[in-house]
Amino acid sequence: MELKQAIQERRSIKQYEDTTVEDSLVTEAVELATYTPNHGMREPWRVIWVKKERLEAFGTLFADIAFKNDEEKHRQHVETAKKLAGVLVVVGQRDRRQKENLEDVLAIGGFMQTLCLALYENGIGSCIKTQPPYLNPKMNESLNVQGDEMIYGVVYLTAQTEAAFKARKNEGLISEF
């Protein structure tokens, strides 16, 4: 697959079919994404892989935080989470220096997007999520996220299904000085 094709055709897949993926394909995608350019070669990310057999516990942890007062939404979330092929939790340090923090946030965003392209190339559907429960101390403690780190987002792994093309709004993106 050509890079241009992958960039144009990859979509966030939100139809969470009950599926599995080969560990080697996920590992390969993560390793490829580590080549994402980043400032000062700090590589400010690490990945926690929640495999299929741990998805119910992960979904329950999330639902306990997000839907503690709504039993039906809690149940639905756990059932949805169990269908995924896995979850990649992207964690990175929080740098108190403003410039370095911005550079790290941009690098982690680039890493996550590159990861999704690499997963797509390997036939794995993905969707990046950045919901408030990932900032909850209980979530961080359960996933062994350290005090100087934070969860920047997660990548849901699922079947590579078709997703509709949405026209881009990038007309007039470039202006001249």
Side-chain angles (χ1 to χ4, degrees):
M1 174 180 306
E2 295 290 322
L3 176 62
K4 182 177 179 179
Q5 178 186 358
I7 291 170
Q8 290 174 335
E9 293 180 4
R10 191 204 79 76
R11 301 282 176 271
S12 291
I13 305 299
K14 298 176 185 172
Q15 298 82 31
Y16 307 128
E17 299 177 8
D18 194 2
T19 189
T20 59
V21 294
E22 288 184 40
D23 287 0
S24 63
L25 295 176
V26 175
T27 300
E28 179 183 294
V30 170
E31 289 174 356
L32 180 60
T34 65
Y35 287 92
T36 299
N38 63 91
H39 303 280
M41 292 297 293
R42 286 195 302 272
E43 300 177 359
W45 51 73
R46 69 180 179 93
V47 177
I48 300 167
W49 186 356
V50 182
K51 293 188 176 186
K52 183 82 173 175
E53 60 271 11
R54 297 287 299 149
L55 288 173
E56 183 172 5
F58 182 79
T60 300
L61 174 63
F62 182 97
D64 285 350
I65 296 166
F67 308 116
K68 62 183 170 193
N69 297 321
D70 189 329
E71 288 183 34
E72 182 57 22
K73 284 186 179 180
H74 187 286
R75 185 194 62 73
Q76 287 176 350
H77 181 81
V78 173
E79 289 305 311
T80 298
K82 288 177 4 183
K83 291 180 184 178
L84 296 170
V87 173
L88 301 174
V89 181
V90 180
V91 176
Q93 289 196 328
R94 292 180 292 186
D95 197 315
R96 291 189 178 277
R97 299 169 296 173
Q98 190 174 25
K99 176 184 177 286
E100 287 78 0
N101 184 64
L102 177 59
E103 289 173 347
D104 288 350
V105 169
L106 293 170
I108 290 169
F111 170 78
M112 292 177 74
Q113 291 296 335
T114 303
L115 174 59
C116 288
L117 287 168
L119 290 165
Y120 175 74
E121 183 178 50
N122 285 349
I124 301 169
S126 64
C127 184
I128 295 173
K129 298 289 188 178
T130 56
Q131 294 128 321
Y134 296 126
L135 301 174
N136 186 288
K138 181 179 177 184
M139 177 71 74
N140 286 263
E141 183 180 318
S142 297
L143 294 173
N144 199 28
V145 175
Q146 302 303 303
D148 63 343
E149 295 179 315
M150 68 179 281
I151 298 172
Y152 282 88
V154 302
V155 178
Y156 285 5
L157 306 177
T158 189
Q160 181 59 62
T161 57
E162 294 295 319
F165 174 78
K166 294 181 182 176
R168 299 299 189 231
K169 303 171 189 170
N170 291 330
E171 293 181 22
L173 181 66
I174 300 173
S175 60
E176 293 183 28
F177 175 71

